[in-house]
Amino acid sequence: MKRPRLLAAVEGGMTTTTRVPSIIVGVALFALLAGCGPMPEASPTTPPEITPAREGSVATPGTPASAQLTLGELAERVNAAWPTVRSYRITFTGSTLSMPTGLGTPAARPLASPSATPVATSGATPVARPRETFVSTREVVLPDRQRQDVRGLGDTDHEAIAIGDQLYVRGPLVEQIAPGTPANVWIEVDPSSVPERSMFSRLLGGLPEIPAAPLASLPERLLPQQIREMGVVEHDGRACRVFGAADTVPATGMRVDYTIAVDDRDLPCFIETGTGGVTQGRAEYSDIDGSFTIEPPVAATPVSVPPQLATPLAHD
């Protein structure tokens, strides 16, 4: 499937066409991650089986927790515990189907968001579009080492390493920066030339910035909402309490369901977003305080980011 041609990158007198995915989901990574778009067909993400809360416990599935825990209170707990973590891995699996404006995970929202449903003409039957997914894996070793691998986006797939004031990238995305560079060759980019809100930064999921706390970007209107305790699930060797919340996209009236799982230290296990019973995005947090070795590549070619990719985007 061809992606829309949105940018023309001009460098060294040669013009190349820069193609940007139809949707960029931020990860948290991203936050989580802020960048992503189309790829191969796949079925919806299947979450692990949740053990319902026992009778007489804090809450039963689908009902507010007896302690009247709000989404804001849960976010405060998670965000307070997060600074104690020294290393972690975030694996984000997202749907690349276009979604209405405002739809996204609590930690990240789409950069671009055209309508997901084909418009039916008079007398015509809408044709369902296949689901597609992408996977972004981000490893973080504080204070300043990160490695990211994004697969499933075609010409924006990449592997990136950020260490202090050094940023390295390789993969199909490099063709948009330095045309003619083989996908297996590392390039080095000056992070100071990559503004936080530029297209290139979005495509790199915000690198070289360290991801924010997992629930730091929740809309204020959701904070007073009482959440449902849905049970316990095993994840990454941890027993995780699962909570449910919901939102309604103001512009469309569409319901968005959030599933947030945390362990006994209030650290996140996973954060999931869904609509109509179908998972749209899922960020899994694993290897908390694990041992990762993130080193710069042996060799890399310094390049400049084309102005069209380095120019800050307009605020939403």
Side-chain angles (χ1 to χ4, degrees), residues 255-311:
R255 177 188 171 94
V256 182
D257 293 299
Y258 297 138
T259 304
I260 303 168
V262 299
D263 65 15
D264 58 3
R265 297 169 55 195
D266 290 327
L267 295 175
C269 299
F270 61 83
I271 300 173
E272 186 174 286
T273 301
T275 58
V278 178
T279 299
Q280 300 292 345
R282 179 183 172 93
E284 298 186 349
Y285 295 77
S286 60
D287 292 294
I288 303 293
D289 291 326
S291 297
F292 304 135
T293 300
I294 301 178
E295 300 292 343
V298 175
T301 303
V303 302
S304 298
V305 179
Q308 289 82 354
L309 290 179
T311 302

Side-chain angles (χ1 to χ4, degrees), residues 223-240:
L223 301 184
Q225 179 181 156
Q226 292 182 15
I227 56 178
R228 309 179 309 277
E229 184 162 358
M230 302 166 65
V232 178
V233 65
E234 184 78 12
H235 173 77
D236 191 39
R238 296 177 285 158
C240 305

Side-chain angles (χ1 to χ4, degrees), residues 68-84 106 213-220 222-225 227 243 260 262-263 265-268 271:
Q68 302 297 301
L69 185 66
T70 67
L71 185 55
E73 290 168 340
L74 178 63
E76 287 180 1
R77 293 183 185 181
V78 172
N79 295 338
W82 192 243
T84 66
L215 297 178
S217 299
L218 281 169
E220 287 191 14
L222 298 182
L223 301 184
Q225 179 181 156
I227 56 178
F243 298 93
I260 303 168
V262 299
D263 65 15
R265 297 169 55 195
D266 290 327
L267 295 175
I271 300 173

Side-chain angles (χ1 to χ4, degrees), residues 164-244:
D165 59 357
Q166 299 171 306
L167 176 60
Y168 308 94
V169 185
R170 70 175 176 181
L173 176 59
V174 170
E175 176 67 24
Q176 301 185 35
I177 308 165
T181 303
N184 63 344
V185 172
W186 287 98
I187 63 170
E188 182 176 2
V189 176
D190 179 5
S192 66
S193 68
V194 185
E196 184 178 349
R197 293 187 58 82
S198 67
M199 176 61 75
F200 187 56
S201 176
R202 294 290 184 97
L203 291 173
L204 287 180
L207 283 174
E209 296 296 320
I210 298 293
L215 297 178
S217 299
L218 281 169
E220 287 191 14
R221 70 177 186 277
L222 298 182
L223 301 184
Q225 179 181 156
Q226 292 182 15
I227 56 178
R228 309 179 309 277
E229 184 162 358
M230 302 166 65
V232 178
V233 65
E234 184 78 12
H235 173 77
D236 191 39
R238 296 177 285 158
C240 305
R241 296 171 66 189
V242 183
F243 298 93

